[in-house]
Amino acid sequence: MPTPLSGIIPPLISPLKDRDTLDVAGLERLIEHLISGGVSGLFILGTTGEGPSLSYRLRRELILKTCQLTNGRVPVLVGITDTAFTESVNLAKYSAEAGATHVVLAPPYYFPAAPPEMLEYVQDLVAEMPLPLFLYNMPGLTKVSFELDLVRRALDMPGICGVKDSSCDMIYFHRLIEIAKQRADWSVLVGPEELTAEAVLLGGHGGINGGANLHPKLYVEMYQAAAAQDLQRTRELHAQVMKLAGAIYTVGKHKSAIIKGIKCGLSLLGICDDHMAEPFHRFREPERELIRERLVALGLIPQG
Amino acid sequence: MPTPLSGIIPPLISPLKDRDTLDVAGLERLIEHLISGGVSGLFILGTTGEGPSLSYRLRRELILKTCQLTNGRVPVLVGITDTAFTESVNLAKYSAEAGATHVVLAPPYYFPAAPPEMLEYVQDLVAEMPLPLFLYNMPGLTKVSFELDLVRRALDMPGICGVKDSSCDMIYFHRLIEIAKQRADWSVLVGPEELTAEAVLLGGHGGINGGANLHPKLYVEMYQAAAAQDLQRTRELHAQVMKLAGAIYTVGKHKSAIIKGIKCGLSLLGICDDHMAEPFHRFREPERELIRERLVALGLIPQG
Amino acid sequence: MPTPLSGIIPPLISPLKDRDTLDVAGLERLIEHLISGGVSGLFILGTTGEGPSLSYRLRRELILKTCQLTNGRVPVLVGITDTAFTESVNLAKYSAEAGATHVVLAPPYYFPAAPPEMLEYVQDLVAEMPLPLFLYNMPGLTKVSFELDLVRRALDMPGICGVKDSSCDMIYFHRLIEIAKQRADWSVLVGPEELTAEAVLLGGHGGINGGANLHPKLYVEMYQAAAAQDLQRTRELHAQVMKLAGAIYTVGKHKSAIIKGIKCGLSLLGICDDHMAEPFHRFREPERELIRERLVALGLIPQG
Amino acid sequence: MPTPLSGIIPPLISPLKDRDTLDVAGLERLIEHLISGGVSGLFILGTTGEGPSLSYRLRRELILKTCQLTNGRVPVLVGITDTAFTESVNLAKYSAEAGATHVVLAPPYYFPAAPPEMLEYVQDLVAEMPLPLFLYNMPGLTKVSFELDLVRRALDMPGICGVKDSSCDMIYFHRLIEIAKQRADWSVLVGPEELTAEAVLLGGHGGINGGANLHPKLYVEMYQAAAAQDLQRTRELHAQVMKLAGAIYTVGKHKSAIIKGIKCGLSLLGICDDHMAEPFHRFREPERELIRERLVALGLIPQG
């Protein structure tokens, strides 16, 4: 009997030494940090992973190394979102060969496809997929959504196994949960960590939460409390997640503040380099110092 | 004494036989159609060219074939816009080796860079460019603009030679013209063909107009009338351009209607295949029939 | 010891006989329907109440009649949102004289005030208020939000007593809950009914939910279950609310579908007329028949 | 034979002594300043006039005083845009009685009406109008446009006499000109002053330009040059208009910068008070000093 993928599946940042060089030792430490924190899977090349900003060569290296280092301990999900259909297919095939378990697809993000065009696109693409596919709803960056009608149609496509929703629209998310009841193996996961508690309390299967890169245990415990319907404990842990996000994601002034904050924090935790791919640069010293102070206040790094 | 690039430089559609196969014979006919129509250059891999939807292999093939077929008769501009810095650089280097004359860059279109991030991005990128670079302002598809302050800074970067503006915001465009007065070789070109008349009447250097694929002579004559300050003739030709655009771009119901209309029209003119890269498909028969009727009404194909 | 306003406070539709005539008998039936359903207050002249579409004469009549008919049984909240400061003040004063208990203010919705301008505006306005004021965050219709920094500043203004949030952004809502912990009488209420369950489970004080016009008891029971931390019961009632909203709000094709659906439903329940103020018109017969079928399916009106 | 309204028709700022007190002497000076500058009409209670921010009492006073002071020398256009249909009708009737010649209507700006709803709204409203009505397209503030299909339908409504377009979308504007050719008395006017030159060169009838409050003669001369098809002179005057707008509208940091700049400038010219209605406040001293310097540089006030 198939079951939906559930739990906390962090969207890994991509450890970089420079623009086109993977920090392999950092990647290894990050993977061990996350697996020992109890996560249910690893998602690479998503938004937090700066997937669209990396060269194809680097994406393939990251896929291969992640699969080798994970070595089957947890599922590996790979983002294959691309404006070019052929490149999405190429990445999916490479992922399958490398040992990944799922692929994840947001809408093509240059041309906004209208709903009937999007349906044809998904039908065409899923026919070429060697691995189960998650739809990744991210209208803030892709301009268009996977509409609920498309999701209903996707239930009939065996190659699709669920939806990751980063729209921040919980009405949409609750409709996804309603739809999911019709397929036992269909998984509904939420992106923003501030919303994982309610997502799981009301029937969702878990979270793909960026902050879990920094503190996987906290997010896993919050998920477990919510899945166990322990409301009091969920509220306490949700408050801690809100505090972490409020501390780390508000240092930068721009929309890049979240990824920069996570990468900078991981660097301060000694896990990996915080080089960022263009169009971004890592935090400079003043912001880095603020992140350090906040990690101390959160108890994630020792005083001094 | 350097002069700005000027005139009509059509953004070529990309003739495709299927998803990843170039229609080389169609490309050759298209290039001859345009050059014989009097255009001042060819711009490939832009929005009209579905650049972001094509595989990198196909993009390189298109660059090489276009340069070979053009054989130096007019400048060849290549779109290198990409979410991955490294891929933009790779395409620019390939373009230079193939014999292109300029590269064209819109902002990376997944992550929206804030103005200070965008400035660093442009500075980093221009340092790697083997060819003069046009900034391509296209906020409707890239979410963010090249702000006027960045354009003012770009005047001091010798590697940048002008701006193509497809914002449809003529206030912004007039500010570009003001800025351009400070550099003799700086070119300001407008994207939407409905705006080329006023752009040139008031000091712009030309248009990168999609409709010129279909009827290059009309657009070239309109440009020449405006450049010669022949207002009466410009108004007549502008009315014809408005009529063509109003006829061909309103057959489809979605935002893809413009590119689909141009490709379908070129197919009906016998110039090239109208296959479209995903996420789109070519017009089906009912829309194709409408395009045929309208081309007849416009006098571009014979009755019956 | 002051306590925050809590529970279900329906945003009353405005029963109209025609463009400028109140359906007084309908208003009386609606108020009795809601109070007998257990609601904690009545909110008039909000979005669901088509407040901005009514003449000032009619708004005053509605305020007076609602206060008279309610006669102190529950609090009466009055929307005073206006683009003209003076008219907001006039409405607030009239509301106080008529016996209302609170006023509710969304940002002025023609000119978008920037954050420092908005702060001055709120400070200026609260100084003129004869009743406690709720901030009403509704960026979908007012274009701008009450930013979290403004809400933090508002904690120090004794004339402000809480926030109603209709942004659909639960991250923002959770930040409101964090902020509210600093003032014992501060109330945080959510607009969309699909979000009331999670809002209350995680610390919010209640909902201003349009669907409660139709079925107040359902919404009150869902609120009570969530406030009592009865997660299982909350999930069941939340599923019923999702079903009602999914049935009634999807008959119309435009954004007006929600208000039209509620008004049409109330007419079918025999409570009041469904005339709508311009720019809208009530549902015509085909849509009305669909609403009837769906109310039957929901068990709100008998078969046949 | 009816002719379209044409020329420069400034959207008057509303001179205020305080929140709800008209600066009558200032209004008189402003009207004389404008009429002696050669304008073709006066438009009150538009966006530049802060119409939606003024109390109804004040709007009526302003209508009456403007009509009395103008005394038939030029047409008086009155903005009647409102979210409440009844208030729009009331203002229109008052305007007719006071001696105004036209009314001007943007879409209701709280609820966004969908195209079929907007058509019904316009049909309903025009039936109640005692004066010829201009449609005022202003999607930046009203969220929705008057679509071209609606404008085509409006040609058949004798109560409507033209369109003022402030969308900044010149493609839309050129379509308006095409449509206007079908009715001899139909007027197409453009809002942003940076676009008046091209609007008139290519067939539009004039401009409703905010900057004409400060320097009516410049705008009138630019209009006349463009109407006379004197391209060289039009370009010179357009460059001056661009300079004025670039100087005065960039002092403030927010969207309110344009109206604040014009009001501050008029105060420095000795014409009227610069009090602003909430949600705005007039420029404080540092911004006022900048406006002074720029007016000096523009030659509009003497040095020192």
Side-chain angles (χ1 to χ4, degrees), chain B residues 122-176:
Chain B
V122 168
Q123 287 169 329
D124 289 353
L125 195 96
V126 77
E128 311 272 339
M129 288 295 102
L131 290 174
L133 177 78
F134 269 91
L135 300 174
Y136 175 9
N137 192 49
M138 181 41 131
L141 293 176
T142 65
K143 294 172 270 184
V144 288
S145 284
F146 288 120
E147 301 211 338
L148 292 170
D149 278 344
L150 183 145
V151 177
R152 284 186 198 102
R153 298 286 292 270
L155 281 183
D156 294 328
M157 303 181 199
I160 303 186
C161 62
V163 184
K164 177 202 170 181
D165 177 34
S166 292
S167 67
C168 293
D169 175 351
M170 290 306 289
I171 302 179
Y172 175 90
F173 190 84
H174 295 312
R175 295 284 169 217
L176 291 181

Side-chain angles (χ1 to χ4, degrees), chain A residues 168-171 174-175 178 192 194-195 197-198 200-203 229 231-232 235 238 242-243 245-246, chain C residues 168-171 174-175 178 192 194-195 197-198 200-203 229 231-232 235 238 242-243 245-246:
Chain A
C168 293
D169 175 350
M170 290 306 289
I171 302 179
H174 295 313
R175 295 283 168 217
E178 274 186 338
E194 297 92 338
L195 305 175
E198 63 216 85
V200 176
L201 285 173
L202 292 172
Q229 308 215 358
L231 184 56
Q232 197 48 50
R235 286 177 67 153
H238 178 245
M242 291 297 294
K243 207 170 147 190
Chain C
C168 294
D169 176 352
M170 290 305 289
I171 302 178
H174 295 312
R175 296 283 168 218
E178 274 186 338
E194 297 91 338
L195 305 175
E198 63 215 87
V200 176
L201 286 173
L202 293 173
Q229 308 212 359
L231 183 56
Q232 197 47 50
R235 285 176 69 153
H238 178 246
M242 290 297 294
K243 207 169 147 191

